[in-house]
Amino acid sequence: MKLLYVAIFIIQLLNINAESEPESVEVPEIRHIDCNETEVLIAVDFSLRKLNTELKTKNKFALYRVTDAQVQGEREKHYFLKFSIRETDCPTESNSLWKDCNYRAPKEASTGECSSEVLINVFQRKTQVTSHNCTFTAAARRICFGCIEPKATDDSAAKKAGAHAIKTFNSNSTYENYFRIAEVYNFSSQVVAGTMYRMAFRMQETECSKDPAVADEDIIQCPFMVNGTKLHCSSTLYEMSWISFASGTVSCNPVSEAGMLRREAGWGPFLFAPLVTHDPAESTPADVHVISTCPGQPWKSIHHVKPALPPTEEHHESAESQQETADAESHESVDGLQTPA
């Protein structure tokens, strides 16, 4: 009798295990996607932001083109990316976004080939760069007499040029308070009949009044005024040290409020154009085949990259250049990421 009970118990136990066996989970397929798609560029942007914060190089890097793109999932998407990058004129320590930077001249710019994996869930407002790796190729250096050579913004010559620019501006401006430099964008030198230094920077109003006067060397100690005037500036300093000659110019334009807020407003890297997302329930008809275009177009032909700084001198655009700008702006912008309603 005991053997009968044991046999019945074993049979029941086997039936329970058979019924409770978990169903297999279907893993979403990895599919190719057009390298020019907005969502691909958004994923690349997250990778580049992370890369540029970790760089040990002198300048930031910007996207040149996406060479391959794959995606897995629908609501939460896992991107597998390959893309090319190029060195820009923005120092790594600057606050400029890579999209606002210009490529360095091809003979001066280092390049890189990158692979990256990015997880994005726009419904949960979650992003994560799960892995990224880049292989860099240094630019071939050459000797160029009379060429403009980029230099570090904390170089001793940069400090000298900055001090001269502050003194020149404060001596000639009609502002009641002193200004001093808040951020240097870039600095360069050029050997001519002497040395020509060029600097682009942002200057800000301080709390120090010109009445009473403050010594030039003490202005750097003046605290910035809350909501004080901010200016985008460019300066030159021409120096012939052997005869103790120095002459410089400073040109400034007000910083627009929109320009300052653009980098902080919204969520995600591209802040203006919305990302159109599709309902997973809306399946693509079986007879429609989506063609993946890779490698993608060069970044600058997709997005009209504006200079990070205002021009150093006024100029008039030709009718042809104005038409090119209008054509570029008529294309769909890829400057926004927006959570669906």
Side-chain angles (χ1 to χ4, degrees):
M1 196 64 175
K2 290 182 178 180
L3 291 175
L4 179 60
Y5 287 138
V6 170
I8 293 173
F9 175 76
I10 292 174
I11 291 172
Q12 291 176 339
L13 182 62
L14 291 174
N15 287 336
I16 292 173
N17 289 338
E19 292 174 358
S20 62
E21 184 177 348
E23 297 181 359
S24 59
V25 178
E26 183 178 351
V27 178
E29 67 172 345
I30 298 176
R31 61 189 186 280
H32 286 274
I33 187 172
D34 193 325
C35 286
N36 299 319
E37 283 287 342
T38 301
E39 59 183 290
V40 171
L41 298 176
I42 289 173
V44 170
D45 180 89
F46 281 115
S47 295
L48 269 173
R49 288 186 178 217
K50 183 175 178 64
L51 170 68
N52 281 321
T53 60
E54 299 174 354
L55 281 177
K56 304 297 183 183
T57 56
K58 179 180 177 180
N59 295 321
K60 292 185 177 181
F61 280 76
L63 173 65
Y64 176 63
R65 76 163 82 220
V66 180
T67 55
D68 188 65
Q70 300 179 59
V71 64
Q72 181 182 39
E74 291 294 342
R75 295 179 67 87
E76 182 171 271
K77 295 188 176 183
H78 193 177
Y79 296 89
F80 304 86
L81 309 166
K82 292 182 180 179
F83 52 94
S84 303
I85 58 177
R86 289 190 177 184
E87 186 181 5
T88 72
D89 57 3
C90 293
T92 52
E93 65 269 17
S94 74
N95 294 325
S96 301
L97 300 178
W98 66 263
K99 300 189 297 299
D100 298 327
C101 303
N102 295 315
Y103 297 140
R104 295 189 66 189
K107 293 183 178 180
E108 299 176 351
S110 297
T111 60
E113 297 296 328
C114 302
S115 60
S116 175
E117 295 184 19
V118 183
L119 192 67
I120 297 180
N121 189 321
V122 295
F123 299 93
Q124 299 180 5
R125 303 172 73 84
K126 180 179 71 174
T127 62
Q128 181 182 4
V129 180
T130 56
S131 70
H132 68 96
N133 180 60
C134 294
T135 302
F136 294 95
T137 301
R141 300 300 297 172
R142 73 194 193 289
I143 299 175
C144 179
F145 298 102
C147 290
I148 297 175
E149 295 290 337
K151 300 179 72 70
T153 55
D154 59 353
D155 188 270
S156 59
K159 295 177 181 178
K160 177 174 61 178
H164 192 279
I166 292 173
K167 181 177 180 179
T168 301
F169 179 84
N170 284 324
S171 299
N172 294 279
S173 75
T174 57
Y175 289 98
E176 296 181 353
N177 287 8
Y178 286 102
F179 279 68
R180 68 179 177 91
I181 294 176
E183 178 184 5
V184 177
Y185 300 124
N186 54 62
F187 176 67
S188 65
S189 67
Q190 180 183 20
V191 177
V192 285
T195 306
M196 175 70 77
Y197 298 106
R198 294 177 176 86
M199 178 182 285
F201 54 96
R202 176 167 57 85
M203 201 144 52
Q204 187 170 336
E205 188 176 6
T206 72
E207 296 180 356
C208 294
S209 172
K210 292 183 179 178
D211 186 17
V214 176
D216 293 332
E217 60 271 17
D218 295 333
I219 294 176
I220 195 172
Q221 305 297 331
C222 294
F224 289 122
M225 178 185 294
V226 177
N227 298 325
T229 301
K230 301 178 180 68
L231 304 171
H232 276 314
C233 302
S234 59
S235 69
T236 63
L237 174 60
Y238 177 52
E239 186 178 56
M240 291 188 287
S241 57
W242 63 93
I243 59 172
S244 301
F245 172 83
S247 176
T249 63
V250 181
S251 175
C252 295
N253 292 305
V255 177
S256 66
E257 203 61 35
M260 294 298 293
L261 294 176
R262 185 171 72 84
R263 299 177 184 176
E264 301 176 4
W267 176 79
F270 299 91
L271 304 179
F272 291 136
L275 170 65
V276 179
T277 57
H278 300 280
D279 189 336
E282 298 178 0
S283 58
T284 304
D287 58 342
V288 176
H289 299 281
V290 179
I291 300 176
S292 173
T293 305
C294 286
Q297 301 176 41
W299 164 251
K300 285 195 175 184
S301 71
I302 301 174
H303 176 73
H304 182 64
V305 178
K306 298 179 180 179
L309 303 171
T312 56
E313 59 183 3
E314 295 183 358
H315 64 282
H316 299 283
E317 294 183 338
S318 64
E320 182 180 353
S321 65
Q322 291 176 352
Q323 181 61 41
E324 290 175 355
T325 301
D327 291 343
E329 291 177 347
S330 67
H331 292 294
E332 179 184 3
S333 171
V334 289
D335 273 347
L337 176 60
Q338 179 173 314
T339 305

